[in-house]
């Protein structure tokens, strides 16, 4: 793999495994199975229906998705799910929906939901600048709430939940855009999970939705077809032209996880090692590197931090570029710096970056 791909710590779109990129390169010329370019394959072909089926089956295996859950491949990114969920489960119900506000992304979701119905903030970390996460017992949730929505990994601030909600008594909806497939999860703890592809699953364009049968049945049905979970499910994710290419690459990524990495347990252990190497390097120089998240909440996927001044940060980025490290700028809303350690980042690249961090601090 070329060095810039290997050292691409971008927060999204994230780097993809080199084995996948090689297959994609070939598929753009001609798919081995059809002789036709992936970019010209019909979404109504048997080949594509087979591909969708294969991608679903592989996701089911990898995540141990129970039989009573549907898997859908939708469009519009996670931002459209912010609206689609509220239209399906809040609009016209007379209920309120509970939202946890733990960072930039989870704070965006209730803004969209408020266009459809009443929203209640069950917990907010805004006042302290999103540096920590609540425990499940701290939430204030109306037992009649239509659902509770939260984000499992705050991509911008670098905060990650390591456990699942339990015993809250309302349907649980989780945006896992930046950590789905990075470690094992218990799908049965959720009513609806969604994640767009461009952080860990593949290229932008496809959004995976995993939803419990009984919860899908409760979704509102009188919505525009594209925004209606019932229509999308009935059409097996091919109501209109889907993003054939993105689904193709997602299937390769899931195959890579199953066959090369082995399992989500193995992936999770590797991700934990990568994160440990990077945090260790940062922690050696607490005066120099100021990590945004408080200790127990630090994300394995995204590490947001600052230096003493924006000038030092600019210098850091310039030095990083000289060594081939890219994608280290913080999110525009927060500034500072950010290291994203998605699945495709290899341990050796994380170690090389850790070496660079030490070198910078000692400069
Ligand atoms: C990046 C991100 C989003 C936004 O996704 P789009 O596909 O760009 O709409 C939403 N939620 C989380 C947690 C993210 O990391």
């Amino acid at each position: 793999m070329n060095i810039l791909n290997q050292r691409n710590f971008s927060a999204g779109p994230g780097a993809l495994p080199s084995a996948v990129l090689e297959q994609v390169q070939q598929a753009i010329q001609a798919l081995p199975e059809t002789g036709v370019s992936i970019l010209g394959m019909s979404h109504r072909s048997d080949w594509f229906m087979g591909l969708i089926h294969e991608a679903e089956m592989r996701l089911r295996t990898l995540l141990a998705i129970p039989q009573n859950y549907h898997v859908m491949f939708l469009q519009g990114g996670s931002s459209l799910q912010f609206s689609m969920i509220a239209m399906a489960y809040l609009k016209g119900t007379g209920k309120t929906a509970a939202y946890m506000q733990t960072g930039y992304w989870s704070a965006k979701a209730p803004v969209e939901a408020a266009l459809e119905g009443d929203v209640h903030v069950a917990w907010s970390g805004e006042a302290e600048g999103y540096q920590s996460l609540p425990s499940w017992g701290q939430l204030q949730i109306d037992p009649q709430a239509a659902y509770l929505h939260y984000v499992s990994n705050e991509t911008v601030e670098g905060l990650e939940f390591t456990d699942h909600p339990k015993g809250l008594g309302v349907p649980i909806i989780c945006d896992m855009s930046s950590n789905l497939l990075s470690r094992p999860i218990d799908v049965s703890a959720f009513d609806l999970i969604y994640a767009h592809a461009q952080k860990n699953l593949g290229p932008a364009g496809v959004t995976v939705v995993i939803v419990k049968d009984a919860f899908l049945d409760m979704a509102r049905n009188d919505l525009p077809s594209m925004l209606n979970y019932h229509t999308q499910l009935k059409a097996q994710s091919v109501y209109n032209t889907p993003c054939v290419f993105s689904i193709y690459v997602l299937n390769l990524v899931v195959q890579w996880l199953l066959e090369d990495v082995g399992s989500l347990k193995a992936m999770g252990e590797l991700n934990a090692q990568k994160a440990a190497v990077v945090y260790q390097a940062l922690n050696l120089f607490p005066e120099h590197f100021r990590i945004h998240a408080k200790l127990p909440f630090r994300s394995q996927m995204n590490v947001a931090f600052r230096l003493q001044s924006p000038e030092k940060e600019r210098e850091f980025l310039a030095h990083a570029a000289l060594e081939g490290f890219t994608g280290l700028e913080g999110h525009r809303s927060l500034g500072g710096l950010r290291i994203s350690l998605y699945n495709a980042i290899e341990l050796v690249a994380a170690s090389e970056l850790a070496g660079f961090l030490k070198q910078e601090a000692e400069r």
Side-chain angles (χ1 to χ4, degrees), residues 77-79 82 105 151 153 155 175 177-178 196 198-199:
S78 290
S79 298
F82 297 166
W105 286 114
V151 169
N153 181 71
T155 322
D175 173 358
S177 291
S178 52
H196 60 198
Q198 69 267 26
K199 308 276 164 68

Side-chain angles (χ1 to χ4, degrees), residues 15-55:
L16 291 172
S18 53
V20 168
L21 294 180
E22 276 162 32
Q23 291 173 82
V24 171
Q25 187 179 20
Q26 192 191 346
I28 286 179
Q29 291 300 327
L31 283 163
E33 310 93 282
T34 70
V36 168
S37 163
I38 180 64
L39 301 179
M41 276 304 297
S42 165
H43 60 292
R44 299 291 173 199
S45 61
D46 291 343
W47 177 83
F48 182 70
M49 288 322 289
L51 174 75
I52 283 246
H53 180 72
E54 187 171 74

Side-chain angles (χ1 to χ4, degrees), residues 66 117-118 135 140 143 150 163 295 307 343:
D118 287 337
S135 60
Q140 288 176 346
Y150 81 103
D163 58 349
L295 190 58
L307 304 185
N343 287 350

Side-chain angles (χ1 to χ4, degrees), residues 189-242:
F190 302 91
D191 294 270
L192 190 153
I193 293 169
Y194 65 96
H196 60 198
Q198 69 267 26
K199 308 276 164 68
N200 247 334
L201 280 50
V206 60
T207 303
V208 173
V209 175
I210 302 168
V211 54
K212 201 187 263 180
D213 297 358
F215 192 58
L216 189 124
D217 290 345
M218 288 163 54
R220 205 180 165 106
N221 207 352
D222 59 348
L223 293 169
S225 304
M226 284 295 288
L227 303 176
N228 186 333
Y229 289 119
H230 296 281
T231 327
Q232 297 285 5
L233 180 72
K234 207 162 136 222
Q236 297 178 59
S237 306
V238 196
Y239 174 75
N240 72 330
T241 314

Side-chain angles (χ1 to χ4, degrees), residues 284-325:
L284 282 178
F285 307 95
E287 282 306 303
H288 191 65
F289 299 119
R290 295 147 187 212
I291 302 174
H292 181 80
K294 290 191 179 151
L295 190 58
F297 313 107
R298 290 181 183 169
S299 165
Q300 214 167 261
M301 291 281 102
N302 309 98
V303 184
F305 63 103
R306 288 185 176 288
L307 304 185
Q308 284 101 327
S309 67
E311 294 72 54
K312 291 220 158 121
E313 288 163 358
R314 275 194 291 275
E315 247 176 64
F316 175 97
L317 290 170
H319 296 158
L322 289 175
E323 308 230 6
F325 296 108

